[in-house]
Amino acid sequence: MSVWLFGLTGLVFALQVLPVTGFFLMLMLAPYWSVVTVNLGFIVLAFEAATSRVPLVWLLVPIAYFGGYALFAHQSHRAVERLDAEARASNSGKRIAFVPASASLVIESNADDLGGAASSLVRAYRLPVAYTVTRAQEQRKPQELSRLDSNYRAERAGSPSVCRRIQQDSRFAAATAWAHFISPLRGTRSPSQPVLCTYSLPESPALQEIRISARSEPIGTWLLKGRRVRVELSASDGARLELLSGHAVPYAWLPLPIMGCFLNSARPKWECFAGFGTSANRGIGGTGAHGGATIEIVARALGLVPGSIEERRAELEATSTPELDNLLIRHETAAVANLDRLLADPTLRATVHDLAGLAERPDLLAPRADAMLRAMSAALTYGKGRSETARNLQRLLAHLPDAPFTRIGPALLLALDAGRPVQSDVGRRSVSEETDGTLLRRLGDLGPPALPTLDRLIFSSPGRPPVDAVLGLCRLGAPAAGMAERLAQHVRETEPRSDLRFVAFVTLLRLGRSDFAEALVEDSGGYRRTDIEAWRKAVSSDSGPQVCTSRPVR
């Protein structure tokens, strides 16, 4: 019986070596079958030897297997204990003066074992803020606009109201401020329990810095898998100290022989392995695993006072957050400065990040409407080299209030008709859907003068018409009724089955041509059938432009 079990192990492994069969066996967790077949094989062999089914000498084989592995596992765990004791002895008594009110804690971006350390420190200790370096200082090229964000990110603990404010105000998203809700019960979310949060935002430290850097090296022993980490703390006054940390994974106490193959997508390559399974990851020099020990050691050296975010609930609720208001002011000021610089020199390259947040401030855009139109027109004349600048100015023009947008409408249409394509692969289009299709839709609000422009955008380019340009035709309404038959035919020829058909469907309904509309969706089966029914009930030639959406309003 033991021979059959060992033979089965070998057969399953051999089948895994072949990618065709191995892939399906991998999905069936075949690499772990050997844990059962190998261990059971040795147990059966011991039973066979004890019952004289095989010579008694064969009893030595399972004894050597289980006994030898037990000794090996013991040595593996002892090796972790030695490394842990060595690190604790080396770190004992090492302290560096740190007062949060007069210094900023800054973690280098490439610090091994300290990924997420800033968030972990503000959650578990009475530390108001921790900073992470996001990139090295850099000089931007003369043709590039200034960055809106900092080279640092600040992490803070906060109350639920703070995180809700960040999530609900789109200006914070534009400024790359992020909120992360936390449940008091180990990350589980329960509607009946209030949640806590941390939030991060781009912000440079204003106080003297205490820098934390770390470098790691693999633990070079056959008994363990893991890494040894050397952490360095350095203060502005020249004080420095080095701490030892790391993490290691000893082998499991019971033998877990794992044999199998997997697809290494990084190379890519079909790779096979055979070895014993390990136990849980353990910290070196501290109790936390996966970097937790390193964070604990750093906190100890800095003299941080423990205090979980749950314990500080009332304190956090009462804490003011001037940094959030300062971020919005700082970000908006920088974005407006970038826009004004671009308006003065449209040859500059402008990315969506350089102007982030301005689309949410139409009041700032309205006084600059004419200048934005001139700059966009100029960027279009420069061709593909400044297509990104043209796209991003179009995105801002699309968010103008109604009055200035209507006022510049005639000049906008002339500029779009005269401009070069913003991308070489969209034929004659001078408006791109890539950044924001809102401008295409809003052209329909300019009335009959927009018909030639929409006609060109939809029909003069090969391939798929822009969805938002079709919605612009829908918003235009009755004056576009003469284009209904062409639209239906063009969509059927270029898009045999896609969401564009359903946008054209609602457009044709609003143009009063339900006959052409029904022909577009007669072969759609059950796809978006509920949307089609909702549009049939809600859309007619008497409907307002609010029905012109890719999803019906129910």
Side-chain angles (χ1 to χ4, degrees):
M1 180 64 178
S2 58
V3 173
W4 286 102
L5 288 168
F6 293 134
L8 176 62
T9 303
L11 176 62
V12 172
F13 182 70
L15 290 173
Q16 291 182 78
V17 172
L18 302 173
V20 175
T21 53
F23 179 77
F24 294 100
L25 287 170
M26 179 186 69
L27 297 178
M28 297 172 65
L29 304 179
Y32 298 96
W33 296 358
S34 52
V35 174
V36 176
T37 57
V38 171
N39 286 335
L40 186 58
F42 281 112
I43 292 171
V44 171
L45 179 59
F47 177 78
E48 290 173 338
T51 56
S52 301
R53 297 185 183 182
V54 297
L56 188 61
V57 69
W58 282 100
L59 185 59
L60 296 176
V61 175
I63 291 175
Y65 170 75
F66 287 108
Y69 180 83
L71 179 62
F72 170 72
H74 174 74
Q75 292 300 318
S76 178
H77 284 263
R78 286 285 296 160
V80 177
E81 293 169 2
R82 286 193 297 270
L83 290 172
D84 182 63
E86 176 187 342
R88 290 178 184 272
S90 175
N91 299 335
S92 179
K94 290 184 178 179
R95 299 289 186 273
I96 192 168
F98 172 64
V99 179
S102 58
S104 298
L105 194 62
V106 179
I107 301 166
E108 296 283 0
S109 57
N110 60 348
D112 294 339
D113 237 32
L114 285 173
S119 176
S120 298
L121 287 169
V122 299
R123 289 185 189 190
Y125 298 91
R126 294 187 177 278
L127 179 66
V129 58
Y131 296 87
T132 302
V133 180
T134 55
R135 58 175 173 265
Q137 298 286 344
E138 59 181 32
Q139 293 292 329
R140 303 213 76 183
K141 298 177 182 178
Q143 67 271 25
E144 294 180 323
L145 298 173
S146 302
R147 288 192 181 277
L148 301 186
D149 56 349
S150 167
N151 294 318
Y152 300 81
R153 287 199 72 84
E155 190 84 25
R156 289 180 172 86
S159 65
S161 60
V162 169
C163 280
R164 282 192 291 270
R165 179 190 174 194
I166 293 172
Q167 290 189 343
Q168 293 169 2
D169 190 335
S170 60
R171 292 178 298 166
F172 286 111
T176 66
W178 305 319
H180 313 278
F181 281 105
I182 314 161
S183 168
L185 298 178
R186 298 186 179 182
T188 59
R189 292 292 302 274
S190 172
S192 63
Q193 294 176 333
V195 291
L196 307 173
C197 82
T198 60
Y199 59 98
S200 67
L201 61 153
E203 178 187 322
S204 300
L207 305 174
Q208 291 186 336
E209 297 181 9
I210 291 184
R211 289 246 170 178
I212 305 174
S213 61
R215 63 187 187 279
S216 68
E217 57 188 13
I219 296 173
T221 170
W222 57 278
L223 288 170
L224 290 174
K225 298 177 181 178
R227 300 191 72 83
R228 210 170 186 178
V229 181
R230 296 184 183 275
V231 184
E232 185 178 277
L233 277 64
S234 56
S236 301
D237 60 5
R240 311 173 74 89
L241 61 85
E242 185 175 274
L243 305 169
L244 292 182
S245 178
H247 53 87
V249 186
Y251 284 90
W253 284 109
L254 295 176
L256 302 174
I258 301 172
M259 303 168 60
C261 303
F262 69 101
L263 178 63
N264 185 344
S265 56
R267 296 191 178 182
K269 186 180 180 182
W270 186 252
E271 294 184 349
C272 299
F273 61 93
F276 287 100
T278 57
S279 61
N281 190 296
R282 291 175 55 178
I284 295 174
T287 55
H290 301 290
T294 305
I295 293 171
E296 178 186 320
I297 289 166
V298 167
R300 190 186 307 141
L302 293 170
L304 297 181
V305 179
S308 69
I309 193 171
E310 291 89 347
E311 297 170 348
R312 293 178 286 149
R313 182 191 303 275
E315 174 188 334
L316 293 172
E317 289 283 0
T319 301
S320 61
T321 56
E323 65 277 357
L324 293 180
D325 296 320
N326 293 337
L327 171 66
L328 293 181
I329 295 171
R330 187 172 67 249
H331 181 86
E332 184 179 283
T333 301
V336 170
N338 273 349
L339 177 59
D340 287 339
R341 186 181 169 201
L342 179 63
L343 299 182
D345 183 5
T347 64
L348 295 173
R349 177 175 176 268
T351 70
V352 65
H353 306 292
D354 297 327
L355 305 172
L358 293 181
E360 290 77 24
R361 290 298 308 274
D363 57 311
L364 296 176
L365 299 177
R368 297 172 171 83
D370 296 286
M372 287 194 299
L373 177 58
R374 288 192 297 269
M376 188 273 292
S377 301
L380 283 176
T381 65
Y382 300 138
K384 188 178 179 182
R386 286 296 174 265
S387 62
E388 188 173 15
T389 297
R391 284 199 307 270
N392 286 298
L393 286 170
Q394 288 173 1
R395 181 173 62 90
L396 297 184
L397 287 168
H399 286 82
L400 283 170
D402 291 338
F405 184 79
T406 302
R407 179 175 58 78
I408 68 167
L412 174 62
L413 294 172
L414 287 175
L416 296 178
D417 289 334
R420 298 181 184 180
V422 296
Q423 271 191 301
S424 60
D425 62 346
V426 291
R428 295 179 54 200
R429 296 179 200 163
S430 55
V431 191
S432 174
E433 289 185 287
E434 182 178 323
T435 302
D436 193 332
T438 305
L439 182 60
L440 293 169
R441 297 195 296 273
R442 290 197 72 184
L443 292 181
D445 298 337
L446 299 177
L451 265 176
T453 304
L454 290 171
D455 183 296
R456 176 177 59 82
L457 291 169
I458 295 172
F459 300 111
S460 298
S461 299
R464 179 180 185 271
V467 169
D468 286 289
V470 177
L471 288 173
L473 206 64
C474 176
R475 293 180 69 85
L476 204 156
M483 299 170 62
E485 185 173 3
R486 289 174 61 207
L487 175 64
Q489 182 179 352
H490 189 55
V491 170
R492 295 194 73 169
E493 290 175 351
T494 58
E495 291 292 322
R497 188 181 181 94
S498 78
D499 278 2
L500 175 61
R501 282 207 169 199
F502 302 101
V503 169
F505 174 76
V506 68
T507 299
L508 291 168
L509 289 178
R510 186 161 192 258
L511 298 184
R513 295 309 303 264
S514 58
D515 51 341
F516 293 137
E518 294 298 337
L520 282 181
V521 296
E522 62 186 7
D523 59 347
S524 64
Y527 181 58
R528 295 196 67 173
R529 181 57 57 184
T530 56
D531 289 348
I532 293 170
E533 292 300 328
W535 270 317
R536 282 196 183 108
K537 295 176 182 178
V539 182
S540 70
S541 57
D542 297 325
S543 300
Q546 72 278 0
V547 301
C548 299
T549 63
S550 57
R551 290 283 179 182
V553 179
R554 292 182 171 84

